Amino acid sequence: MDHVKATTDYYIYEDSYNYSSETGSSQSSSVPCNQDGIMDFTRSYSPVVYSLVFVLALVGNILVLCVLMRYRTSQTGGTCSFSLTDTFLLHLAVSDLLLALTLPLFAVQWAHQWVFGMAACKISGALFSLNRYSGILFLACISFDRYLAIVHAISTGWKRNTCHAQIACTLIWTVCMGLSGVDIAFRQVVEVEVGRSRDQGLLVCQTVFPHSSVQWKVGMPLVNLVLGFGLPLLVMLYCYIRIFRSLCNASRRQKRKSLHLIVSLVSMFVLCWAPYNSFQLAESLKKLGVISGGCQFERTVDIGILVSESMGLSHCALNPLLYGFVGVKFRRELTRMCKGLLGQRFYPGMKEWGGQRKTRRPTRSFSSAESENTHSVMA
C-alpha cells in the first residue's frame, strides 16, 4: 500500500516501494514515517470541515447567482450589456459553487472511504482543480476591472464592449481545463494503510504520478503556487494599491471605507491561501533536497497542508460575503427578491437594510464610485 497525503489535492508516486527481481517481493525503499495519527486526525477533521464549507458556499453562491440573474433580466441590451465586474462575479459564483459540490464526495471518503468508482474519482478531482484555479483567477479579473474603472476611468468604453469579459472568462476556463487534465490522466482509486496493520486499508481517490518523475513531483505544486496564488496576488495588490492611491484626494469618510474594503479583500485572500501554498512550497523544496527534515518535519507539513487547505477552500464560502454583500445595490436587489418570494410583511426591516434614503445621492465610496462607472450590482 502507498503512503497517503490526507488532502483533496494530494500526489503519491509509484516508487514508494521497489520491486526486487531477485526475491520476487515488494520491499520498501526506505523506512516510512508513522502516519497513524495523521490519518486519525484527517478522518475526524475533514468530513466536518468539508461539510460546513459545502453548506455555507452552497447557500451564499446560490444567493449571489439568483441576485445576479434577477438584476441581469432587468437590464437591456443582451448579454454584452452586463458589466464586466458582474460578468466576472457570475463566473466566480459558478466556479465556487462547482468547487463546493465536490466537497461532500471527499467528506464521505474520509468518513468512510471512496465508494463512488473510478469515473467519479477522475471527474470530481478534475472539477476540484478546475474550479480552484478558475475561482482565484476570476478574483484577479475583478480586481483588474475595478482598477480600469476607477484609476483610468475608462469603463464607459468598456461597458459597450463587455463581450471582452466573456472572452477573458472563456480563456480562463480553457486554461484551467487544461490544468485539470492532470487529474483526468492520473487520478486513481487506491488502497492505503490505516493503522498499524497492513491488512487494514482505506480506498481513497488520489493522483498517482509515474515513478522517477521529479518534474511531476515538483512541477504541479509549483504550478499551484504560481497560478493559484502568486500571480493573482500580485495582480490584486497592484490594482488595489493603485485604486487606493487614486482615492487619496477623497473625503476622509470615503477614504476610510475604501481602505477597509481593500484591506479586507487582500487580507482574506492572503489569510486563506498563503498558509497552504507555504506548506506546499516547503514540501517541494524537501523533494528537491533544498531543505532536509525527518519524520517530524513530514508530519508537520502533512498536517499543515491538511488544515491550511481547508482554510483555502473556505474562500469559496467567504467570496459571496465580500464580493456581493458589501454593496448597497446588491443588498437592495436581494431585498426585492426576498420580498417578491415571501411577501413584504415578512420583512418589515428590510427596507432600511436594503438601502435607506433612496432619494439621497449615495456617498462616493469605493463601491459607489465603481457603481457610477460600471453600473455593477456589487455596488
Side-chain angles (χ1 to χ4, degrees), residues 21 28 63 66 68 79 81 84 88 93 118 122 145 174 210 239-240 247 258 279 286 292 300:
S21 59
S28 175
L63 280 177
C66 290
L68 280 170
T79 300
S81 67
L84 272 79
F88 291 131
M118 180 68 74
K122 290 181 177 291
D145 177 48
T174 302
C239 292
Y240 287 132
L247 296 174
S258 302
F279 283 112
K286 185 178 185 300
S292 59
T300 301

Side-chain angles (χ1 to χ4, degrees), residues 133-152:
Y133 283 121
S134 61
I136 293 173
L137 293 176
F138 286 133
L139 293 179
C141 288
I142 291 174
S143 305
F144 186 67
D145 177 48
R146 289 176 171 177
Y147 163 75
L148 292 177
I150 297 174
V151 177
H152 292 286

Side-chain angles (χ1 to χ4, degrees), residues 63 66 70 334-344 346-347:
L63 280 177
C66 290
R70 184 184 187 278
L334 179 61
T335 301
R336 291 171 180 169
M337 184 180 69
C338 293
K339 286 180 179 179
L341 292 176
L342 301 177
Q344 187 171 353
F346 290 100
Y347 292 88

Side-chain angles (χ1 to χ4, degrees), residues 60-278:
N61 286 288
I62 285 179
L63 280 177
V64 170
L65 288 174
C66 290
V67 172
L68 280 170
M69 297 312 297
R70 184 184 187 278
Y71 181 76
R72 189 172 192 169
T73 56
S74 68
Q75 307 302 303
T76 59
T79 300
C80 291
S81 67
F82 210 41
S83 74
L84 272 79
T85 299
D86 290 339
T87 300
F88 291 131
L89 182 63
L90 177 67
H91 285 265
L92 174 63
V94 170
S95 175
D96 286 343
L97 186 60
L98 290 175
L99 175 62
L101 291 176
T102 66
L103 297 182
L105 302 181
F106 294 104
V108 170
Q109 169 180 274
W110 295 118
H112 178 53
Q113 65 176 356
W114 188 264
V115 295
F116 306 104
M118 180 68 74
C121 172
K122 290 181 177 291
I123 294 173
S124 61
L127 282 175
F128 180 88
S129 298
L130 167 67
N131 295 290
R132 195 189 69 178
Y133 283 121
S134 61
I136 293 173
L137 293 176
F138 286 133
L139 293 179
C141 288
I142 291 174
S143 305
F144 186 67
D145 177 48
R146 289 176 171 177
Y147 163 75
L148 292 177
I150 297 174
V151 177
H152 292 286
I154 62 171
S155 60
T156 301
W158 274 85
K159 185 180 67 173
R160 294 192 299 268
N161 296 280
T162 48
C163 285
H164 295 164
Q166 297 290 353
I167 297 174
C169 291
T170 300
L171 290 176
I172 289 176
W173 285 116
T174 302
V175 171
C176 294
M177 282 181 182
L179 294 172
S180 66
V182 174
D183 293 87
I184 296 293
F186 297 112
R187 282 270 177 171
Q188 296 182 23
V189 178
V190 296
E191 187 177 5
V192 299
E193 292 181 39
V194 179
R196 299 180 182 276
S197 173
R198 295 185 65 85
D199 296 330
Q200 186 180 4
L202 176 72
L203 292 178
V204 296
C205 175
Q206 294 194 101
T207 303
V208 183
F209 285 143
H211 70 283
S212 302
S213 180
V214 178
Q215 292 87 351
W216 285 112
K217 274 184 191 179
V218 182
M220 286 309 300
L222 291 180
V223 169
N224 292 342
L225 179 63
V226 173
L227 288 183
F229 182 73
L231 180 60
L233 178 61
L234 289 176
V235 172
M236 292 175 69
L237 285 175
Y238 175 79
C239 292
Y240 287 132
I241 289 173
R242 290 292 305 275
I243 288 170
F244 184 68
R245 288 179 60 185
S246 71
L247 296 174
C248 286
N249 295 326
S251 67
R252 181 178 301 177
R253 184 169 178 264
Q254 174 186 347
K255 188 160 58 176
R256 184 170 62 250
K257 286 186 175 182
S258 302
L259 177 62
H260 289 168
L261 180 57
I262 291 170
V263 170
S264 298
L265 294 174
V266 178
S267 298
M268 185 183 72
F269 179 79
V270 173
L271 289 176
C272 285
W273 285 112
Y276 174 75
N277 285 278
S278 298

